[in-house]
mmCIF file of all heavy atoms in Angstrom:
data_model
loop_
_atom_site.group_PDB
_atom_site.id
_atom_site.type_symbol
_atom_site.label_atom_id
_atom_site.label_comp_id
_atom_site.label_asym_id
_atom_site.label_seq_id
_atom_site.Cartn_x
_atom_site.Cartn_y
_atom_site.Cartn_z
ATOM 1 N N ARG A 1 91.415 101.854 106.187
ATOM 2 C CA ARG A 1 91.517 102.484 104.867
ATOM 3 C C ARG A 1 92.915 103.072 104.655
ATOM 4 O O ARG A 1 93.504 102.915 103.581
ATOM 5 C CB ARG A 1 90.458 103.580 104.733
ATOM 6 C CG ARG A 1 90.363 104.172 103.321
ATOM 7 C CD ARG A 1 89.296 105.232 103.262
ATOM 8 N NE ARG A 1 89.609 106.332 104.169
ATOM 9 C CZ ARG A 1 88.747 107.311 104.486
ATOM 10 N NH1 ARG A 1 87.525 107.291 103.991
ATOM 11 N NH2 ARG A 1 89.107 108.270 105.312
ATOM 12 N N ASP A 2 93.460 103.719 105.692
ATOM 13 C CA ASP A 2 94.814 104.285 105.573
ATOM 14 C C ASP A 2 95.858 103.176 105.435
ATOM 15 O O ASP A 2 96.822 103.314 104.669
ATOM 16 C CB ASP A 2 95.132 105.151 106.794
ATOM 17 C CG ASP A 2 94.394 106.478 106.768
ATOM 18 O OD1 ASP A 2 93.707 106.770 105.755
ATOM 19 O OD2 ASP A 2 94.474 107.225 107.766
ATOM 20 N N LEU A 3 95.678 102.079 106.175
ATOM 21 C CA LEU A 3 96.609 100.963 106.112
ATOM 22 C C LEU A 3 96.685 100.371 104.707
ATOM 23 O O LEU A 3 97.711 99.841 104.293
ATOM 24 C CB LEU A 3 96.198 99.884 107.123
ATOM 25 C CG LEU A 3 97.040 98.606 107.205
ATOM 26 C CD1 LEU A 3 98.487 98.932 107.559
ATOM 27 C CD2 LEU A 3 96.450 97.645 108.233
ATOM 28 N N LEU A 4 95.592 100.482 103.962
ATOM 29 C CA LEU A 4 95.506 99.892 102.632
ATOM 30 C C LEU A 4 95.709 100.915 101.516
ATOM 31 O O LEU A 4 95.455 100.608 100.346
ATOM 32 C CB LEU A 4 94.152 99.198 102.465
ATOM 33 C CG LEU A 4 93.949 97.963 103.368
ATOM 34 C CD1 LEU A 4 92.486 97.553 103.410
ATOM 35 C CD2 LEU A 4 94.812 96.813 102.908
ATOM 36 N N SER A 5 96.168 102.108 101.882
ATOM 37 C CA SER A 5 96.290 103.195 100.903
ATOM 38 C C SER A 5 97.742 103.619 100.709
ATOM 39 O O SER A 5 98.322 104.223 101.626
ATOM 40 C CB SER A 5 95.464 104.406 101.342
ATOM 41 O OG SER A 5 94.098 104.090 101.460
ATOM 42 N N PRO A 6 98.337 103.312 99.552
ATOM 43 C CA PRO A 6 99.682 103.832 99.271
ATOM 44 C C PRO A 6 99.698 105.352 99.398
ATOM 45 O O PRO A 6 98.770 106.037 98.961
ATOM 46 C CB PRO A 6 99.921 103.392 97.818
ATOM 47 C CG PRO A 6 99.051 102.184 97.648
ATOM 48 C CD PRO A 6 97.825 102.459 98.470
ATOM 49 N N GLY A 7 100.748 105.858 100.030
ATOM 50 C CA GLY A 7 100.834 107.301 100.247
ATOM 51 C C GLY A 7 100.373 107.716 101.626
ATOM 52 O O GLY A 7 100.710 108.800 102.095
ATOM 53 N N LYS A 8 99.625 106.836 102.301
ATOM 54 C CA LYS A 8 99.145 107.160 103.646
ATOM 55 C C LYS A 8 99.822 106.318 104.723
ATOM 56 O O LYS A 8 99.837 106.689 105.886
ATOM 57 C CB LYS A 8 97.624 106.988 103.723
ATOM 58 C CG LYS A 8 96.881 108.039 102.932
ATOM 59 C CD LYS A 8 95.400 108.065 103.301
ATOM 60 C CE LYS A 8 94.689 109.213 102.603
ATOM 61 N NZ LYS A 8 93.263 109.306 102.998
ATOM 62 N N HIS A 9 100.356 105.174 104.339
ATOM 63 C CA HIS A 9 101.020 104.302 105.311
ATOM 64 C C HIS A 9 102.458 104.051 104.855
ATOM 65 O O HIS A 9 102.708 103.788 103.660
ATOM 66 C CB HIS A 9 100.277 102.970 105.435
ATOM 67 C CG HIS A 9 100.694 102.167 106.619
ATOM 68 N ND1 HIS A 9 101.859 101.430 106.628
ATOM 69 C CD2 HIS A 9 100.129 101.992 107.840
ATOM 70 C CE1 HIS A 9 101.985 100.823 107.798
ATOM 71 N NE2 HIS A 9 100.947 101.149 108.559
ATOM 72 N N PRO A 10 103.426 104.112 105.785
ATOM 73 C CA PRO A 10 104.837 103.974 105.398
ATOM 74 C C PRO A 10 105.237 102.607 104.860
ATOM 75 O O PRO A 10 106.330 102.468 104.292
ATOM 76 C CB PRO A 10 105.595 104.308 106.694
ATOM 77 C CG PRO A 10 104.599 104.139 107.795
ATOM 78 C CD PRO A 10 103.274 104.468 107.208
ATOM 79 N N PHE A 11 104.393 101.589 105.008
ATOM 80 C CA PHE A 11 104.706 100.273 104.455
ATOM 81 C C PHE A 11 104.945 100.356 102.954
ATOM 82 O O PHE A 11 105.780 99.639 102.397
ATOM 83 C CB PHE A 11 103.548 99.308 104.753
ATOM 84 C CG PHE A 11 103.755 97.903 104.236
ATOM 85 C CD1 PHE A 11 104.586 97.019 104.906
ATOM 86 C CD2 PHE A 11 103.117 97.461 103.084
ATOM 87 C CE1 PHE A 11 104.782 95.720 104.436
ATOM 88 C CE2 PHE A 11 103.304 96.168 102.610
ATOM 89 C CZ PHE A 11 104.141 95.299 103.293
ATOM 90 N N TYR A 12 104.235 101.279 102.296
ATOM 91 C CA TYR A 12 104.307 101.372 100.838
ATOM 92 C C TYR A 12 105.546 102.129 100.355
ATOM 93 O O TYR A 12 105.767 102.235 99.153
ATOM 94 C CB TYR A 12 103.035 102.020 100.298
ATOM 95 C CG TYR A 12 101.801 101.236 100.683
ATOM 96 C CD1 TYR A 12 101.078 101.549 101.829
ATOM 97 C CD2 TYR A 12 101.388 100.140 99.924
ATOM 98 C CE1 TYR A 12 99.962 100.816 102.202
ATOM 99 C CE2 TYR A 12 100.277 99.396 100.291
ATOM 100 C CZ TYR A 12 99.572 99.732 101.431
ATOM 101 O OH TYR A 12 98.485 98.999 101.805
ATOM 102 N N GLU A 13 106.339 102.622 101.286
ATOM 103 C CA GLU A 13 107.596 103.256 100.901
ATOM 104 C C GLU A 13 108.601 102.207 100.411
ATOM 105 O O GLU A 13 109.553 102.540 99.710
ATOM 106 C CB GLU A 13 108.180 104.040 102.082
ATOM 107 C CG GLU A 13 107.347 105.256 102.471
ATOM 108 C CD GLU A 13 107.864 105.934 103.728
ATOM 109 O OE1 GLU A 13 108.918 105.496 104.241
ATOM 110 O OE2 GLU A 13 107.217 106.889 104.204
ATOM 111 N N HIS A 14 108.377 100.945 100.803
ATOM 112 C CA HIS A 14 109.298 99.891 100.386
ATOM 113 C C HIS A 14 108.609 98.671 99.781
ATOM 114 O O HIS A 14 109.284 97.781 99.268
ATOM 115 C CB HIS A 14 110.162 99.441 101.575
ATOM 116 C CG HIS A 14 109.384 98.965 102.776
ATOM 117 N ND1 HIS A 14 108.781 97.736 102.826
ATOM 118 C CD2 HIS A 14 109.121 99.561 103.966
ATOM 119 C CE1 HIS A 14 108.175 97.590 104.001
ATOM 120 N NE2 HIS A 14 108.377 98.681 104.708
ATOM 121 N N SER A 15 107.284 98.602 99.833
ATOM 122 C CA SER A 15 106.598 97.383 99.409
ATOM 123 C C SER A 15 105.347 97.687 98.600
ATOM 124 O O SER A 15 104.911 98.832 98.503
ATOM 125 C CB SER A 15 106.253 96.524 100.635
ATOM 126 O OG SER A 15 107.436 96.091 101.273
ATOM 127 N N LYS A 16 104.762 96.639 98.024
ATOM 128 C CA LYS A 16 103.583 96.773 97.167
ATOM 129 C C LYS A 16 102.473 95.845 97.637
ATOM 130 O O LYS A 16 102.740 94.748 98.140
ATOM 131 C CB LYS A 16 103.932 96.410 95.715
ATOM 132 C CG LYS A 16 104.849 97.370 95.007
ATOM 133 C CD LYS A 16 105.245 96.834 93.632
ATOM 134 C CE LYS A 16 104.063 96.711 92.681
ATOM 135 N NZ LYS A 16 104.498 96.243 91.334
ATOM 136 N N VAL A 17 101.238 96.282 97.432
ATOM 137 C CA VAL A 17 100.066 95.473 97.761
ATOM 138 C C VAL A 17 99.052 95.612 96.636
ATOM 139 O O VAL A 17 98.805 96.714 96.141
ATOM 140 C CB VAL A 17 99.417 95.935 99.092
ATOM 141 C CG1 VAL A 17 98.125 95.160 99.355
ATOM 142 C CG2 VAL A 17 100.373 95.762 100.258
ATOM 143 N N GLN A 18 98.464 94.489 96.241
ATOM 144 C CA GLN A 18 97.339 94.522 95.310
ATOM 145 C C GLN A 18 96.139 93.848 95.962
ATOM 146 O O GLN A 18 96.226 92.707 96.431
ATOM 147 C CB GLN A 18 97.674 93.807 93.995
ATOM 148 C CG GLN A 18 96.516 93.768 93.004
ATOM 149 C CD GLN A 18 96.042 95.154 92.593
ATOM 150 O OE1 GLN A 18 96.805 95.949 92.056
ATOM 151 N NE2 GLN A 18 94.776 95.454 92.852
ATOM 152 N N LEU A 19 95.033 94.568 96.019
ATOM 153 C CA LEU A 19 93.809 94.060 96.629
ATOM 154 C C LEU A 19 92.890 93.484 95.555
ATOM 155 O O LEU A 19 92.842 93.973 94.426
ATOM 156 C CB LEU A 19 93.073 95.184 97.366
ATOM 157 C CG LEU A 19 93.906 96.025 98.347
ATOM 158 C CD1 LEU A 19 93.033 97.127 98.966
ATOM 159 C CD2 LEU A 19 94.508 95.151 99.424
ATOM 160 N N PHE A 20 92.147 92.439 95.950
ATOM 161 C CA PHE A 20 91.183 91.812 95.040
ATOM 162 C C PHE A 20 89.854 91.604 95.752
ATOM 163 O O PHE A 20 89.820 91.300 96.951
ATOM 164 C CB PHE A 20 91.696 90.445 94.561
ATOM 165 C CG PHE A 20 92.941 90.506 93.727
ATOM 166 C CD1 PHE A 20 94.192 90.370 94.319
ATOM 167 C CD2 PHE A 20 92.874 90.695 92.346
ATOM 168 C CE1 PHE A 20 95.353 90.415 93.559
ATOM 169 C CE2 PHE A 20 94.033 90.738 91.584
ATOM 170 C CZ PHE A 20 95.278 90.611 92.192
ATOM 171 N N LEU A 21 88.775 91.747 95.003
ATOM 172 C CA LEU A 21 87.424 91.463 95.492
ATOM 173 C C LEU A 21 86.779 90.397 94.610
ATOM 174 O O LEU A 21 86.935 90.417 93.385
ATOM 175 C CB LEU A 21 86.552 92.717 95.464
ATOM 176 C CG LEU A 21 86.770 93.744 96.565
ATOM 177 C CD1 LEU A 21 86.002 95.035 96.265
ATOM 178 C CD2 LEU A 21 86.353 93.186 97.926
ATOM 179 N N ALA A 22 86.052 89.487 95.246
ATOM 180 C CA ALA A 22 85.286 88.471 94.522
ATOM 181 C C ALA A 22 83.829 88.909 94.460
ATOM 182 O O ALA A 22 83.259 89.368 95.469
ATOM 183 C CB ALA A 22 85.401 87.119 95.199
ATOM 184 N N PHE A 23 83.226 88.784 93.284
ATOM 185 C CA PHE A 23 81.833 89.172 93.083
ATOM 186 C C PHE A 23 81.024 87.987 92.569
ATOM 187 O O PHE A 23 81.493 87.224 91.720
ATOM 188 C CB PHE A 23 81.730 90.294 92.043
ATOM 189 C CG PHE A 23 82.338 91.605 92.475
ATOM 190 C CD1 PHE A 23 83.687 91.856 92.273
ATOM 191 C CD2 PHE A 23 81.555 92.591 93.074
ATOM 192 C CE1 PHE A 23 84.254 93.062 92.648
ATOM 193 C CE2 PHE A 23 82.109 93.802 93.453
ATOM 194 C CZ PHE A 23 83.462 94.045 93.239
ATOM 195 N N ALA A 24 79.809 87.854 93.081
ATOM 196 C CA ALA A 24 78.805 86.966 92.500
ATOM 197 C C ALA A 24 77.685 87.894 92.053
ATOM 198 O O ALA A 24 76.853 88.315 92.861
ATOM 199 C CB ALA A 24 78.302 85.951 93.515
ATOM 200 N N GLY A 25 77.693 88.261 90.805
ATOM 201 C CA GLY A 25 76.802 89.328 90.353
ATOM 202 C C GLY A 25 77.269 90.655 90.944
ATOM 203 O O GLY A 25 78.445 91.012 90.844
ATOM 204 N N ASP A 26 76.371 91.351 91.618
ATOM 205 C CA ASP A 26 76.733 92.615 92.262
ATOM 206 C C ASP A 26 77.158 92.414 93.712
ATOM 207 O O ASP A 26 77.582 93.368 94.376
ATOM 208 C CB ASP A 26 75.538 93.590 92.218
ATOM 209 C CG ASP A 26 75.217 94.026 90.795
ATOM 210 O OD1 ASP A 26 76.156 94.054 89.976
ATOM 211 O OD2 ASP A 26 74.045 94.326 90.514
ATOM 212 N N ARG A 27 77.042 91.188 94.209
ATOM 213 C CA ARG A 27 77.318 90.921 95.625
ATOM 214 C C ARG A 27 78.776 90.530 95.822
ATOM 215 O O ARG A 27 79.311 89.678 95.130
ATOM 216 C CB ARG A 27 76.404 89.795 96.123
ATOM 217 C CG ARG A 27 76.542 89.471 97.614
ATOM 218 C CD ARG A 27 75.455 88.499 98.044
ATOM 219 N NE ARG A 27 75.639 87.191 97.461
ATOM 220 C CZ ARG A 27 76.238 86.152 98.069
ATOM 221 N NH1 ARG A 27 76.725 86.312 99.304
ATOM 222 N NH2 ARG A 27 76.344 84.987 97.471
ATOM 223 N N ILE A 28 79.428 91.163 96.804
ATOM 224 C CA ILE A 28 80.806 90.807 97.144
ATOM 225 C C ILE A 28 80.789 89.538 97.990
ATOM 226 O O ILE A 28 80.045 89.428 98.959
ATOM 227 C CB ILE A 28 81.506 91.950 97.907
ATOM 228 C CG1 ILE A 28 81.625 93.178 97.007
ATOM 229 C CG2 ILE A 28 82.885 91.519 98.390
ATOM 230 C CD1 ILE A 28 82.174 94.404 97.709
ATOM 231 N N THR A 29 81.636 88.589 97.617
ATOM 232 C CA THR A 29 81.666 87.303 98.329
ATOM 233 C C THR A 29 83.039 86.981 98.935
ATOM 234 O O THR A 29 83.176 85.960 99.612
ATOM 235 C CB THR A 29 81.263 86.163 97.375
ATOM 236 O OG1 THR A 29 82.113 86.206 96.212
ATOM 237 C CG2 THR A 29 79.799 86.317 96.942
ATOM 238 N N GLY A 30 84.016 87.833 98.703
ATOM 239 C CA GLY A 30 85.324 87.571 99.287
ATOM 240 C C GLY A 30 86.311 88.682 98.974
ATOM 241 O O GLY A 30 86.076 89.540 98.120
ATOM 242 N N ARG A 31 87.432 88.653 99.690
ATOM 243 C CA ARG A 31 88.502 89.629 99.460
ATOM 244 C C ARG A 31 89.849 88.994 99.808
ATOM 245 O O ARG A 31 89.907 88.027 100.579
ATOM 246 C CB ARG A 31 88.283 90.883 100.302
ATOM 247 C CG ARG A 31 88.481 90.655 101.789
ATOM 248 C CD ARG A 31 88.421 91.944 102.596
ATOM 249 N NE ARG A 31 88.931 91.727 103.958
ATOM 250 C CZ ARG A 31 89.162 92.692 104.848
ATOM 251 N NH1 ARG A 31 88.917 93.960 104.521
ATOM 252 N NH2 ARG A 31 89.640 92.398 106.043
ATOM 253 N N ILE A 32 90.914 89.538 99.243
ATOM 254 C CA ILE A 32 92.266 89.093 99.569
ATOM 255 C C ILE A 32 93.247 90.185 99.144
ATOM 256 O O ILE A 32 92.958 90.971 98.231
ATOM 257 C CB ILE A 32 92.604 87.752 98.875
ATOM 258 C CG1 ILE A 32 93.789 87.062 99.556
ATOM 259 C CG2 ILE A 32 92.887 87.954 97.390
ATOM 260 C CD1 ILE A 32 94.000 85.617 99.096
ATOM 261 N N ALA A 33 94.392 90.224 99.805
ATOM 262 C CA ALA A 33 95.481 91.110 99.411
ATOM 263 C C ALA A 33 96.692 90.267 99.046
ATOM 264 O O ALA A 33 97.050 89.328 99.762
ATOM 265 C CB ALA A 33 95.830 92.063 100.556
ATOM 266 N N ALA A 34 97.319 90.595 97.920
ATOM 267 C CA ALA A 34 98.608 90.021 97.533
ATOM 268 C C ALA A 34 99.676 91.044 97.898
ATOM 269 O O ALA A 34 99.565 92.220 97.548
ATOM 270 C CB ALA A 34 98.622 89.721 96.037
ATOM 271 N N ILE A 35 100.709 90.594 98.620
ATOM 272 C CA ILE A 35 101.657 91.522 99.240
ATOM 273 C C ILE A 35 103.088 91.158 98.863
ATOM 274 O O ILE A 35 103.541 90.029 99.094
ATOM 275 C CB ILE A 35 101.497 91.492 100.776
ATOM 276 C CG1 ILE A 35 100.060 91.827 101.178
ATOM 277 C CG2 ILE A 35 102.482 92.446 101.452
ATOM 278 C CD1 ILE A 35 99.653 91.268 102.517
ATOM 279 N N HIS A 36 103.794 92.130 98.282
ATOM 280 C CA HIS A 36 105.219 91.973 98.004
ATOM 281 C C HIS A 36 105.966 92.812 99.024
ATOM 282 O O HIS A 36 106.132 94.026 98.852
ATOM 283 C CB HIS A 36 105.542 92.429 96.580
ATOM 284 C CG HIS A 36 106.971 92.205 96.191
ATOM 285 N ND1 HIS A 36 107.473 92.468 94.934
ATOM 286 C CD2 HIS A 36 108.040 91.714 96.908
ATOM 287 C CE1 HIS A 36 108.754 92.179 94.893
ATOM 288 N NE2 HIS A 36 109.127 91.727 96.073
ATOM 289 N N ASN A 37 106.409 92.159 100.101
ATOM 290 C CA ASN A 37 107.129 92.839 101.185
ATOM 291 C C ASN A 37 108.623 92.786 100.858
ATOM 292 O O ASN A 37 109.321 91.841 101.195
ATOM 293 C CB ASN A 37 106.837 92.152 102.516
ATOM 294 C CG ASN A 37 107.406 92.901 103.700
ATOM 295 O OD1 ASN A 37 108.362 93.649 103.579
ATOM 296 N ND2 ASN A 37 106.823 92.690 104.872
ATOM 297 N N ARG A 38 109.083 93.839 100.195
ATOM 298 C CA ARG A 38 110.485 93.851 99.735
ATOM 299 C C ARG A 38 111.450 93.848 100.917
ATOM 300 O O ARG A 38 112.524 93.222 100.849
ATOM 301 C CB ARG A 38 110.721 95.078 98.853
ATOM 302 C CG ARG A 38 109.976 95.043 97.515
ATOM 303 C CD ARG A 38 110.520 96.121 96.583
ATOM 304 N NE ARG A 38 109.789 96.175 95.323
ATOM 305 C CZ ARG A 38 108.795 97.018 95.076
ATOM 306 N NH1 ARG A 38 108.406 97.870 96.008
ATOM 307 N NH2 ARG A 38 108.192 97.030 93.900
ATOM 308 N N ASN A 39 111.114 94.543 101.989
ATOM 309 C CA ASN A 39 112.005 94.563 103.158
ATOM 310 C C ASN A 39 112.198 93.169 103.726
ATOM 311 O O ASN A 39 113.303 92.784 104.120
ATOM 312 C CB ASN A 39 111.449 95.499 104.235
ATOM 313 C CG ASN A 39 111.923 96.933 104.045
ATOM 314 O OD1 ASN A 39 112.489 97.274 103.015
ATOM 315 N ND2 ASN A 39 111.676 97.775 105.041
ATOM 316 N N HIS A 40 111.108 92.400 103.784
ATOM 317 C CA HIS A 40 111.183 91.018 104.272
ATOM 318 C C HIS A 40 112.140 90.211 103.412
ATOM 319 O O HIS A 40 113.035 89.507 103.926
ATOM 320 C CB HIS A 40 109.788 90.396 104.248
ATOM 321 C CG HIS A 40 109.777 88.909 104.409
ATOM 322 N ND1 HIS A 40 109.691 88.283 105.633
ATOM 323 C CD2 HIS A 40 109.856 87.904 103.489
ATOM 324 C CE1 HIS A 40 109.723 86.967 105.466
ATOM 325 N NE2 HIS A 40 109.820 86.713 104.174
#
């Protein structure tokens, strides 16, 4: 949870992450993170 939370992990001092969840009705069926690693 901390790794995925801006303000709690230093990765977000230089980069951005957007998380996505896939739903089939109310059921979660997948997840992914899109990551802009500016330092890289």
Side-chain angles (χ1 to χ4, degrees):
R1 188 180 61 191
D2 287 355
L3 179 59
L4 293 166
S5 300
K8 290 194 174 183
H9 194 282
F11 180 78
Y12 301 93
E13 293 174 4
H14 57 76
S15 296
K16 291 174 65 177
V17 175
Q18 178 60 59
L19 310 178
F20 295 93
L21 283 170
F23 294 87
D26 293 331
R27 183 171 69 97
I28 296 174
T29 54
R31 69 173 194 171
I32 199 169
I35 303 155
H36 184 176
N37 187 336
R38 292 193 183 97
N39 272 11
H40 166 90

